[in-house]
Amino acid sequence: MMKKHAQALMEMKGRTPIAMLTAYTCPVARAVERASIPVILVGDTVGMVEMGFESTRDVTIDHMTYHVGAVRRGAPETHIIGDLPYLTDKDPDTALWNARRLIAAGADSVKLEGAKTEVIRHLVDNGIAVVGHTGLTPQTAKSFTKVGRTEQEARQVLEDAIAIQEAGAFMIVLEHIPYDLGATLTDTLGIPTIGIGAGPDCDGQVLVINDALGLGDYWPPFSKQYAHVSRTILQVAEDFAGEVASREFPNNIIAFPGSGKA
Ligand code: KIV
């Protein structure tokens, strides 16, 4: 698969639905690339779903460069979006410094939350492809409830999305908004909209990989569990403990295809 740059992703709008998954580690990224998913988001959700923090606000740029590097090693041919964590985009120069760190670690573009138009413009003017993010923006949200249910809130989301596009973003994530607002934004904007809890009419859909895997103990209602990996881990741990206790392991090791064992 040839890596898709920003222009190629923009050209998918109205033609091909865009599938995006988050990834934080090398083996997961390798599998996502093998599945021909064209875009991986290394999101600051890593803080909550992998690091045990209560909020994405605890994620640092060092955490993000570590994960972007791991994902790039697993998915050399996939477009990788690196998320700018809380306050690392607080002004244009700070954002440029941090965005360059994500790019140096292996990202092709960066994502930031909110209508920070001066920041987006500064990044784009300096050659950095930017993905916007509006609707529910977890870094600053006071609650995780749906955004845009009142007319005034919906108008604000629409205005923010247009401002993000005009500032130069090539794509935008729409999080947890009414489905009809997701459809209106998709019709109004010239850039692809990627929904997460934003309805079926977006140009693409993103899922947090842990939610898709059923890994963890909470999954948002707008996500889908394609597997139940937490259950599998529990089963594996219990089976292993039992076999150590009974001394069945390691006498019963069976070579697994691709395990490298003779
Ligand atoms: O950080 C992240 O993973 C995200 C997705 C929820 C879109 O922003």
Side-chain angles (χ1 to χ4, degrees):
M1 185 176 72
M2 279 261 294
K3 192 201 279 185
K4 285 194 164 27
H5 292 285
Q7 186 60 36
L9 290 167
M10 286 177 82
E11 285 166 10
M12 290 172 80
K13 185 177 175 85
R15 294 200 179 108
T16 314
I18 302 168
M20 183 192 295
L21 281 168
T22 74
Y24 317 107
T25 63
C26 179
V28 169
R30 192 171 288 138
V32 172
E33 178 162 290
R34 282 185 73 182
S36 300
I37 298 271
V39 202
I40 295 177
L41 169 63
V42 184
D44 63 359
T45 40
V46 69
M48 294 176 78
V49 302
E50 288 287 338
M51 300 170 83
F53 291 133
E54 289 289 311
S55 155
T56 57
R57 283 190 286 277
D58 294 304
V59 176
T60 67
I61 194 70
D62 287 339
H63 294 145
M64 292 307 301
T65 56
Y66 170 97
H67 288 285
V68 167
V71 169
R72 172 54 76 210
R73 287 186 285 279
E77 296 303 327
T78 303
H79 187 106
I80 294 176
I81 305 170
D83 225 356
L84 280 167
Y86 187 51
L87 295 182
T88 64
D89 58 357
K90 63 184 161 73
D91 61 66
D93 286 333
T94 305
L96 182 57
W97 170 261
N98 287 304
R100 283 183 170 150
R101 287 201 57 193
L102 295 179
I103 300 289
D108 297 291
S109 60
V110 302
K111 178 172 81 60
L112 60 95
E113 294 184 11
K116 299 184 186 99
T117 52
E118 273 184 54
V119 169
I120 295 172
R121 204 164 283 127
H122 190 57
L123 296 181
V124 172
D125 286 349
N126 281 279
I128 295 187
V130 176
V131 178
H133 183 159
T134 190
L136 177 67
T137 47
Q139 289 174 8
T140 49
K142 292 199 175 58
S143 85
F144 281 76
T145 52
K146 198 178 275 185
V147 174
R149 274 184 296 197
T150 66
E151 204 178 302
Q152 191 190 350
E153 246 184 30
R155 197 172 328 114
Q156 188 61 55
V157 173
L158 180 62
E159 279 172 18
D160 284 355
I162 291 170
I164 288 167
Q165 170 176 279
E166 283 176 357
F170 76 92
M171 187 153 78
I172 189 165
V173 169
L174 305 177
E175 182 165 353
H176 209 13
I177 57 172
Y179 288 7
D180 58 344
L181 183 56
T184 303
L185 286 162
T186 303
D187 277 351
T188 307
L189 297 174
I191 57 175
T193 58
I194 308 296
I196 175 157
D201 297 311
C202 297
D203 296 304
Q205 301 288 336
V206 56
L207 271 185
V208 170
I209 189 73
N210 296 52
D211 299 345
L213 292 173
L215 176 58
D217 42 28
Y218 165 80
W219 307 297
F222 50 74
S223 67
K224 177 173 172 182
Q225 285 63 64
Y226 289 85
H228 289 276
V229 170
S230 282
R231 258 191 242 154
T232 306
I233 294 172
L234 175 63
Q235 190 63 57
V236 166
E238 287 176 347
D239 288 354
F240 175 65
E243 291 192 3
V244 171
S246 67
R247 301 191 184 278
E248 279 173 87
F249 182 90
N251 291 326
N252 59 358
I253 295 176
I254 303 161
F256 211 51
S259 67
K261 283 197 285 290

